[in-house]
Amino acid sequence: MIRAMSTQDSSPALTANDHLILVDGSTFIFRAYHALPPLTRKPDGLPVGAVSGFCNMLWKLLQEGLTPEEGDEPTHFAVIFDHSAKTFRNDIYPEYKAQRPEPPEDLVPQFGLIREATRAFSVHCIEQEGFEADDLIATYARQAADMGARVTIVSGDKDLMQLIGPKVGMIDTMKNKIFGEAEVFEKFGVGPDKVIEVQSLAGDSVDNVPGVPGIGLKTAALLINEFGDLETLLARAGTIKQNKRRENLIEFAEQARVSRELVTLKLDVPVEVPVTDLFVNHIDGAKAISFLKTMGFNTLTRRVAETTGADLESVEAAEFQVPGWDVPDHKGRMVERGEAPGGAEAAKAAGDLSPGNEGMMVPQTVADARAESIKAIPVDSSAYETVTSLDRLREWCDAAREKGYVAFDTETTSLDAMQADLVGLSLATEPGKACYVPLAHVDGEADLLGGGGLIAGQLPLREALEVLKPMLEDRSVLKVAQNLKYDWLLMSRYGIEIGPYDDTMLLSYTVDAGKGGNGMDELSERWLGHKPIPFKEICGSGKSLITFDKVPLDKATAYAAEDADVTLRLWLILKPRLAADRMATVYETLERPMVPVLARMERRGISVDRQMLSRLSGDFAQGMAGLEAEIHELAGQSFNIGSPKQLGDILFGKMGLPGGKKTKTGAWSTSVQVLDDLAAEGHLLPSKIVAWRQLSKLKSTYSDALPGYINPETGRVHTSYALAATTTGRLSSSEPNLQNIPVRTEEGRKIRKAFISEKGHKLISADYSQIELRVLAHMADIPQLKKAFDDGLDIHAMTASEMFGTPIEGMDPMVRRRAKAINFGIIYGISAFGLANQLGISRGEAGDYIKTYFERFPGIRDYMEETKKLVHANGYVTTIFGRKAHYPEVNTNNPNHRAFYERAAINAPIQGSAADILRRAMVRMEQRLQGSKLNAQMLLQVHDELIFEVPDGEVEDTIPVIRHVMENACDPALKLSVPLQVDARAADNWDEAH
DNA sequence: ACGGCCACTTA
DNA sequence: GTAAGTGGCCGTC
């Protein structure tokens, strides 16, 4: 590297004959990003529009110089970048640049590539922690000018205008505009030497420099021209005639002084690379071409080859230069156009691919080749570093910045992120290069003796986190984790908000939902052919289970660093699959953004009334005891009612009742269905059993168990949502599962009443009405259903009316009930068998209903047949937003299994599309509430329902916002041909809000 | 201690 | 007939 070759004192000082060009990297990047169409991509689908633009601009500048004039060539040249968001200015004024929006999602991964590009062109690439690019530019410009050299700043940033002087010029090459004293005067109304004074008064809304209220550029220039500088003005502010202006200058004098500090560029940055080292390097053609080939910039590659005389063919694209995205082998493994799915489309999308690109690699091949090459590198869990010094930790963070990405994993004392304590964390920057940072390991043996102190040699937790925080929050470093929601939630409790990020679990889920689990161990075996050290081997299980803080450091390092290493490798393999499988949009809109949304919902939790639950448990126990006595009396003996086996023996053996069905293990079935049938025949015992079971369920699963989930610190219940657990895209909830809180029976709703709002707040429940049937009406394009939804009709009554020809008014409730069961059946991939069971009718009769239904709604049958064809042909089906649900075994020869997968495949697009809509609403919800200055907090999701906690006074204003976001969740990606309807209510408890 | 099975809760 | 999670029982390790 150029920087490394330089020494502090080997280069001669600059002279009047020298010319230093300083390029403001940020200006280049943002111009390149916005000037070029976002489609410009290299063959594997990585957004590289900004990299491409940057390379072209840099190349043009290197070739053509600043102006057409001769003799303007630089002797010294560097591109200067911002290192990270936080600088010394934030210490002076925390709000500085605080409200600056995040850079676009697809630009973030390009920051690192652009630095690579700069080096590939043998150009000095300068950045320094704690300083903005502007400060480095200012310091270099001053130093060079002091030596007598000429300096040209290439930038469009007005903040740099204060540097303009006799020796220092500024030019915006992209706009072909030269800034001299005249231009500065035009912009600020003063010369370059007074720019700072004017800026400190006028402030800057973009950078959040406050200035003095009521004073803009015009007034500021007027005042400075009159008084000379800020201090003089402030000292004589009392003499100003205009009342408001005088008062503001006096009141906000200190704010103006702070502003002056903020806008004043540092001229004395202790630069790591001396200005004398910034001499122009001879371009290394092969190096530049290697990079450009990696990027797939064919036109520029050829141009550089022509100019430098390097041999285009002999230079290989750089392997691993840009892990995550690079082209592993540019020459071999070519794919004929159209051979791989989306091949031609991919070639078209890759805008920079020049003519003759039939042989260009398509994403599919890139991803496959990547998987092979990563798999070939063995995992060695004995080769990892244990980090025990802050210096080494800083070096790891620097390595992450250099790369632009880092795999990250935490080790803690609990699987529950709300209760876990951080024990250590691991990082990985390359396959095989990983470390573990132990922070809170204790001596496990001594614990028994009452000792158990911290093991010596570990970094102090706070100091280590201070080093890590800037990197973990650095927008130019992509953090890669497996199941990030856990780490995000944990780290948020330590004041760190991780971002930007990728999640390998979600990547796997996005491309492979339905193909198996998405846990790290399973993914490692699937993709790397490597079995990671099992957690059990480190911490034991069952009674011998120890927490991770008791694990000795060497074992902890092997286990933890391996996790980060494996995560990084999985990312290197799975990320390219997004492009290969055309799933990038699903991942970026429906998966990745859910992580912080769910983490915050889990962190908030919900209040439950412990006393109410305790009373309920007592009531249920009493009811059960009464029933138990009656049951034993009727049975003529005592037995365990909770044992289906014993119950079966009593009912069908001893009492000789007609046992209908058996379970698949051959035992008597004692399901409600069977017991209800017996009850209908006049037997007393079965209905008592059903009642007992209901109470037993309510007691054990809810009233007894829920209080145990109350977090002692927050006093609330924090469920955990699984993002990658279902085949269809639904979430699941566990520990406790808050998606199956009873609602159907009066007794059950007492449980729901125990979910309450905080004092001064209400719970709002907002649920979609018939979302799945609406989605079906849209997808299968059913005119009658669409019209019914448009007209706000009772959809089940309408279905009954269509099927049986009876008018909706005065309809027999039983007729409607049948239609309702059919509607649900349709969503579930109807079968005569299932419908017969549901309605208690014969299979023949059920078959007739289905036949009639399909005659009335032929579009539904078409949809079902089409879906079956698709799943057999592709092995997966898709939702309206492109999510895939795989059914790899649908082509089995077992007719029952085959029919089961077909029904699941019919259901998945319906259930999954509804789930997608919910996700879209959730991703947008928080921002929309905040934008409306509302304090509603989203707490729970129950498939078609969202629950919020809202201050009493805001209920009226909040409901319309929630409804609007939910009802318009498809916008702007998709126009649903059916309206979505959301019902919302507020109350003090969940039961009444629902 | 673990896992399969059954039953029951939700959308 | 779809999609989930939990608790109790009971056999196996």
Side-chain angles (χ1 to χ4, degrees):
Chain A
M1 206 165 67
I2 297 156
R3 202 189 298 177
M5 296 188 320
S6 307
T7 56
Q8 287 289 328
D9 50 12
S10 63
S11 307
L14 281 70
T15 70
N17 292 326
D18 286 316
H19 180 195
L20 167 66
I21 290 183
L22 295 166
V23 177
D24 172 15
S26 301
T27 303
F28 259 43
I29 290 174
F30 285 95
R31 286 282 166 74
Y33 177 77
H34 291 293
L36 282 140
L39 266 179
T40 308
R41 283 163 176 249
K42 64 186 252 192
D44 63 357
L46 170 72
V48 286
V51 185
S52 168
F54 182 89
C55 288
N56 280 303
M57 283 152 58
L58 186 58
W59 175 247
K60 184 161 179 278
L61 185 55
L62 290 170
Q63 288 309 295
E64 299 174 11
L66 294 167
T67 60
E69 294 156 37
E70 290 294 314
D72 211 26
E73 296 83 12
T75 56
H76 295 69
F77 192 110
V79 182
I80 321 289
F81 294 98
D82 288 317
H83 184 79
S84 57
K86 195 174 180 304
T87 68
F88 71 91
R89 286 187 178 81
N90 295 104
D91 297 332
I92 302 173
Y93 188 67
E95 285 81 38
Y96 178 70
K97 291 195 176 178
Q99 89 309 7
R100 176 161 290 205
E102 294 280 314
E105 190 93 282
D106 56 335
L107 179 55
V108 171
Q110 300 188 61
F111 289 140
L113 295 174
I114 284 167
R115 285 163 174 75
E116 294 260 359
T118 309
R119 291 184 202 108
F121 280 99
S122 303
V123 168
H124 299 276
C125 173
I126 306 287
E127 59 188 288
Q128 207 165 314
E129 187 164 5
F131 300 99
E132 290 183 55
D134 288 359
D135 297 310
L136 291 163
I137 291 172
T139 300
Y140 282 129
R142 164 58 61 92
Q143 290 180 354
D146 283 352
M147 294 176 187
R150 228 153 38 85
V151 179
T152 306
I153 297 164
V154 179
S155 174
D157 188 347
K158 63 175 174 9
D159 294 342
L160 288 164
M161 288 185 176
Q162 58 183 267
L163 300 172
I164 291 172
K167 287 282 183 186
V168 182
M170 183 165 153
I171 183 166
D172 186 342
T173 50
M174 282 124 323
K175 286 189 177 166
N176 248 333
K177 195 165 173 186
I178 297 171
F179 296 98
E181 299 214 11
E183 284 76 17
V184 174
F185 208 88
E186 192 183 316
K187 169 93 189 156
F188 289 101
V190 293
D193 57 326
K194 301 289 186 193
V195 165
I196 294 171
E197 318 296 327
V198 169
Q199 283 184 300
S200 56
L201 283 172
D204 184 341
S205 59
V206 177
D207 292 345
N208 238 13
V209 174
V212 175
I215 297 186
L217 276 179
K218 287 273 160 55
T219 315
L222 205 74
L223 291 167
I224 293 304
N225 279 323
E226 185 181 343
F227 291 91
D229 59 48
L230 179 69
E231 277 311 321
T232 312
L233 166 67
L234 294 177
R236 307 206 337 234
T239 67
I240 288 176
K241 292 193 182 70
Q242 294 90 337
N243 285 337
K244 195 69 205 165
R245 190 176 293 174
R246 180 182 62 246
E247 286 163 18
N248 277 344
L249 278 167
I250 293 167
E251 185 182 349
F252 295 100
E254 202 43 45
Q255 189 169 301
R257 290 192 183 95
V258 170
S259 298
R260 192 175 188 282
E261 266 194 88
L262 292 177
V263 300
T264 304
L265 297 180
K266 252 180 113 56
L267 298 166
D268 57 353
V269 176
V271 290
E272 289 161 4
V273 184
V275 65
T276 49
D277 278 4
L278 299 181
F279 44 77
V280 171
N281 289 296
H282 193 271
I283 187 165
D284 178 346
K287 187 170 157 190
I289 288 167
S290 170
F291 176 82
L292 295 168
K293 271 195 170 182
T294 309
M295 289 288 107
F297 301 156
N298 293 7
T299 311
L300 188 56
T301 308
R302 271 203 315 280
R303 218 176 274 158
V304 172
E306 281 164 25
T307 309
T308 61
D311 181 8
L312 191 69
E313 294 307 315
S314 69
V315 178
E316 296 279 339
E319 180 115 12
F320 290 130
Q321 188 171 5
V322 193
W325 294 103
D326 59 330
V327 182
D329 182 350
H330 216 59
K331 292 182 114 181
R333 302 177 225 188
M334 295 200 173
V335 170
E336 301 288 346
R337 192 187 279 265
E339 182 181 312
E345 201 190 334
K348 211 198 303 173
D352 200 14
L353 304 185
S354 55
N357 60 6
E358 287 94 12
M360 188 54 74
M361 296 187 64
V362 297
Q364 188 77 49
T365 317
V366 172
D368 291 349
R370 163 60 61 76
E372 266 178 59
S373 61
I374 296 284
K375 199 173 175 174
I377 312 170
V379 178
D380 177 5
S381 62
S382 67
Y384 302 126
E385 175 183 344
T386 310
V387 173
T388 53
S389 80
L390 286 173
D391 281 343
R392 278 304 291 156
L393 185 57
R394 281 188 203 102
E395 282 166 28
W396 276 95
C397 290
D398 287 344
R401 288 199 169 88
E402 186 81 10
K403 283 279 182 184
Y405 56 83
V406 62
F408 168 78
D409 190 30
T410 56
E411 302 303 334
T412 69
T413 54
S414 167
L415 271 174
D416 177 1
M418 277 302 293
Q419 306 219 26
D421 291 321
L422 185 61
V423 171
L425 45 84
S426 47
L427 303 171
T429 53
E430 292 174 26
K433 195 172 167 193
C435 68
Y436 178 59
V437 190
L439 297 170
H441 285 257
V442 293
D443 194 324
E445 306 304 319
D447 199 44
L448 296 170
L449 308 170
L454 273 182
I455 291 177
Q458 298 179 90
L459 295 177
L461 189 104
R462 284 193 50 166
E463 288 176 39
L465 290 184
E466 266 169 40
V467 172
L468 285 159
K469 181 177 160 85
M471 187 277 283
L472 292 174
E473 296 183 342
D474 191 332
R475 288 175 298 184
S476 62
V477 181
L478 184 76
K479 270 66 66 176
V480 180
Q482 166 76 15
N483 188 16
L484 177 75
K485 178 161 67 63
Y486 179 87
D487 308 272
W488 197 97
L489 185 49
L490 179 86
M491 295 309 284
S492 82
R493 292 177 40 232
Y494 288 85
I496 293 175
E497 191 162 307
I498 298 170
Y501 57 84
D502 260 336
D503 186 333
T504 46
M505 185 179 78
L506 297 184
L507 286 170
S508 165
Y509 181 60
T510 304
V511 296
D512 282 341
K515 287 191 183 173
N518 304 288
M520 197 192 72
D521 292 357
E522 197 170 337
L523 294 181
S524 178
E525 302 225 24
R526 192 187 304 164
W527 292 102
L528 308 174
H530 168 76
K531 182 174 158 61
I533 304 168
F535 182 80
K536 279 203 314 206
E537 228 162 76
I538 301 294
C539 290
S541 67
K543 210 172 150 189
S544 61
L545 183 77
I546 57 167
T547 46
F548 203 83
D549 56 340
K550 309 284 197 308
V551 176
L553 297 193
D554 52 345
K555 277 171 85 178
T557 296
Y559 173 84
E562 184 190 50
D563 272 7
D565 186 11
V566 166
T567 300
L568 183 69
R569 292 171 197 240
L570 289 173
W571 178 70
L572 290 168
I573 289 172
L574 290 170
K575 184 88 186 205
R577 287 228 71 84
L578 278 188
D581 298 349
R582 314 254 132 209
M583 294 299 284
T585 303
V586 169
Y587 174 72
E588 280 166 20
T589 61
L590 299 175
E591 300 294 342
R592 190 167 58 184
M594 289 291 284
V595 170
V597 173
L598 290 181
R600 284 189 285 265
M601 287 168 68
E602 292 179 14
R603 198 175 53 190
R604 288 172 198 133
I606 186 165
S607 268
V608 298
D609 187 330
R610 189 193 287 271
Q611 286 191 321
M612 195 185 290
L613 290 173
S614 164
R615 270 200 309 277
L616 280 175
S617 279
D619 294 349
F620 293 149
Q622 212 168 11
M624 285 167 73
L627 285 164
E628 196 174 329
E630 293 182 52
I631 289 166
H632 289 166
E633 173 75 26
L634 283 165
Q637 72 176 86
S638 176
F639 69 102
N640 184 348
I641 308 170
S643 165
K645 189 171 170 289
Q646 292 183 31
L647 178 63
D649 285 344
I650 300 274
L651 288 176
F652 309 114
K654 185 181 173 213
M655 298 178 70
L657 297 184
K661 295 180 297 183
K662 312 137 251 121
T663 65
K664 58 184 159 191
T665 48
W668 293 114
S669 170
T670 64
S671 64
V672 252
Q673 196 131 68
V674 171
L675 298 181
D676 277 348
D677 287 348
L678 291 172
E681 288 172 32
H683 300 287
L684 280 176
L685 186 51
S687 60
K688 305 271 182 204
I689 304 281
V690 171
W692 182 91
R693 274 189 185 159
Q694 190 204 0
L695 292 181
S696 164
K697 179 70 179 177
L698 293 176
K699 181 169 186 290
S700 67
T701 308
Y702 302 106
S703 59
D704 282 354
L706 279 172
Y709 286 104
I710 296 173
N711 182 303
E713 277 177 50
T714 66
R716 290 164 75 101
V717 173
H718 307 262
T719 184
S720 175
Y721 287 105
L723 257 169
T726 70
T727 305
T728 56
R730 274 194 177 178
L731 304 179
S732 75
S733 156
S734 62
E735 293 177 278
N737 180 357
L738 297 186
Q739 290 181 323
N740 68 350
I741 299 304
V743 70
R744 219 167 24 85
T745 66
E746 186 54 45
E747 292 295 276
R749 280 202 294 277
K750 291 179 181 167
I751 302 283
R752 203 167 265 242
K753 280 196 211 302
F755 287 78
I756 53 177
S757 54
E758 199 80 349
K759 194 160 178 292
H761 291 67
K762 292 273 185 287
L763 292 180
I764 292 179
S765 161
D767 68 299
Y768 284 103
S769 156
Q770 305 290 359
I771 187 168
E772 293 190 345
L773 276 178
R774 287 170 198 263
V775 163
L776 176 65
H778 167 85
M779 286 195 303
D781 195 19
I782 312 298
Q784 305 101 304
L785 288 181
K786 288 204 233 175
K787 180 154 192 325
F789 283 126
D790 269 334
D791 297 347
L793 296 184
D794 174 340
I795 200 69
H796 302 311
M798 186 288 277
T799 305
S801 174
E802 278 277 338
M803 282 182 64
F804 308 117
T806 52
I808 291 179
E809 296 226 2
M811 178 177 286
D812 177 357
M814 282 308 291
V815 174
R816 183 180 179 278
R817 183 177 153 254
R818 261 177 266 160
K820 184 175 174 180
I822 291 169
N823 275 335
F824 274 98
I826 294 295
I827 290 169
Y828 298 153
I830 202 152
S831 74
F833 182 82
L835 184 62
N837 264 342
Q838 178 68 29
L839 285 176
I841 56 179
S842 75
R843 278 182 67 179
E845 205 178 343
D848 289 343
Y849 282 161
I850 294 169
K851 192 158 162 271
T852 309
Y853 183 91
F854 282 153
E855 276 165 13
R856 294 293 168 191
F857 304 97
I860 302 265
R861 181 173 45 202
D862 295 345
Y863 163 79
M864 290 185 164
E865 292 305 320
E866 188 58 30
T867 305
K868 279 194 254 182
K869 264 191 223 161
L870 281 174
V871 75
H872 284 297
N874 301 329
Y876 64 83
V877 289
T878 57
T879 66
I880 51 177
F881 289 102
R883 172 192 300 284
K884 287 179 187 167
H886 291 88
Y887 295 93
E889 299 188 78
V890 71
N891 285 312
T892 172
N893 288 322
N894 179 325
N896 285 335
H897 291 179
R898 196 181 168 94
F900 170 76
Y901 290 123
E902 286 174 350
R903 287 195 300 273
I906 287 168
N907 172 257
I910 306 170
Q911 188 184 112
S913 297
D916 290 348
I917 292 171
L918 255 290
R919 285 180 183 233
R920 290 176 67 90
M922 291 173 73
V923 165
R924 285 181 201 176
M925 189 62 75
E926 297 182 312
Q927 209 181 0
R928 296 296 288 271
L929 289 169
Q930 274 173 27
S932 305
K933 300 267 181 277
L934 294 167
N935 296 292
Q937 303 259 277
M938 188 158 58
L939 304 186
L940 303 177
Q941 190 253 39
V942 193
H943 307 310
D944 67 355
E945 175 189 15
L946 293 172
I947 289 109
F948 301 81
E949 192 165 39
V950 188
D952 283 329
E954 294 183 10
V955 167
E956 294 304 308
D957 290 339
T958 303
I959 286 178
V961 175
I962 292 171
R963 287 189 56 184
H964 184 268
V965 172
M966 289 174 75
E967 291 181 345
N968 297 284
C970 291
D971 292 344
L974 185 85
K975 178 79 191 118
L976 216 58
S977 56
V978 174
L980 291 177
Q981 189 193 312
V982 171
D983 302 316
R985 296 168 66 179
D988 290 325
N989 65 72
W990 190 3
D991 180 47
E992 285 164 41
H994 184 73

